[in-house]
Amino acid sequence: MELIDYLHTHFLTRAQLLAACATDGAHLDAVTAAGAMPAPSYRLHVRIDCASYFGDHTETHAQDWFAKGYVEWLRMLLDGSQDPYTLFAARYRAALAALPLFGMEATDAHLRSEWQHFIAGTYGLCTRSGLPEDIAAKELAIHVIRTLTDDGRVLDADERERLARARELLDRASSPFAPHERARSSRARYGLK
């Protein structure tokens, strides 16, 4: 039940997302099929076996779970805003420019790759909001951490401070991760709790 508690705390069901955006499943399915809306970050398939006075009963259910930040994204799509990829790229670049760290360039190839992960629902799983601002923060933090630590050298005081700031940024942008994923998460990989 820890996974279900985690999902209820950090994500929205399909029905909750639709209600928050005052829309229906057909609209969500259309923008998802068009490659403008991220897929759910989790898909839960549940089998329920029930025993009662009246006998045994079995049923199955499937439930999609979406990042809470996707309410904002879906509303934007429903309002008919500009091209979703263009907006994603602009928000990502603006977030990078506003962050207190530097060292990563948002090339077109990089942004296209990030967009694909965004649309697949990956960043809904591994960032707090699933939105371009948290994605940019997470990726920049990881880039800085790797740059400073991959060669195993001893860091000077300025580099240690930069590393601490990168870890703080990663902590703020990263999700807490589902119980079964924590050991393989970026939090575990880069020394966060």
Side-chain angles (χ1 to χ4, degrees):
M1 295 300 282
E2 192 176 357
L3 173 60
I4 292 173
D5 292 341
Y6 172 80
L7 293 172
H8 277 293
T9 301
H10 299 284
F11 291 84
L12 298 174
T13 66
R14 177 182 170 95
Q16 290 169 325
L17 176 65
L18 294 173
C21 294
T23 192
D24 59 36
H27 283 100
L28 175 60
D29 293 342
V31 293
T32 303
M37 178 68 190
S41 297
Y42 291 94
R43 287 199 160 113
L44 208 58
H45 299 277
V46 180
R47 177 189 158 116
I48 299 171
D49 293 320
C50 176
S52 73
Y53 172 79
F54 291 104
D56 294 337
H57 171 76
T58 299
E59 56 186 70
T60 58
H61 298 276
Q63 182 65 62
D64 290 342
W65 297 85
F66 295 84
K68 290 182 177 181
Y70 291 171
V71 169
E72 175 190 329
W73 192 261
L74 181 54
R75 284 180 181 160
M76 183 241 356
L77 294 174
L78 295 171
D79 288 343
S81 294
Q82 68 180 343
D83 170 59
Y85 171 75
T86 301
L87 184 61
F88 174 88
R91 287 175 62 172
Y92 191 104
R93 283 187 171 118
L96 275 182
L99 289 169
L101 294 172
F102 59 90
M104 185 178 82
E105 185 181 348
T107 65
D108 289 334
H110 174 79
L111 287 168
R112 287 284 175 196
S113 176
E114 297 293 82
W115 171 255
Q116 293 305 312
H117 292 293
F118 172 69
I119 290 300
T122 306
Y123 282 118
L125 179 148
C126 63
T127 65
R128 292 208 186 261
S129 69
L131 295 174
E133 294 77 13
D134 277 345
I135 298 168
K138 180 180 174 101
E139 292 305 311
L140 175 59
I142 289 171
H143 176 78
V144 170
I145 292 167
R146 284 180 177 167
T147 299
L148 292 170
T149 62
D150 276 357
D151 61 6
R153 65 189 164 83
V154 175
L155 301 179
D156 65 28
D158 288 340
E159 290 170 324
R160 285 192 306 275
E161 174 59 28
R162 185 167 159 80
L163 179 60
R165 288 193 333 251
R167 285 191 169 128
E168 288 170 10
L169 180 61
L170 182 59
D171 187 42
R172 286 193 313 269
S174 295
S175 76
F177 288 94
H180 68 282
E181 296 167 332
R182 288 182 187 138
R184 297 179 302 162
S185 73
S186 56
R187 287 184 166 283
R189 193 173 317 124
Y190 298 109
L192 303 178
K193 296 178 184 181

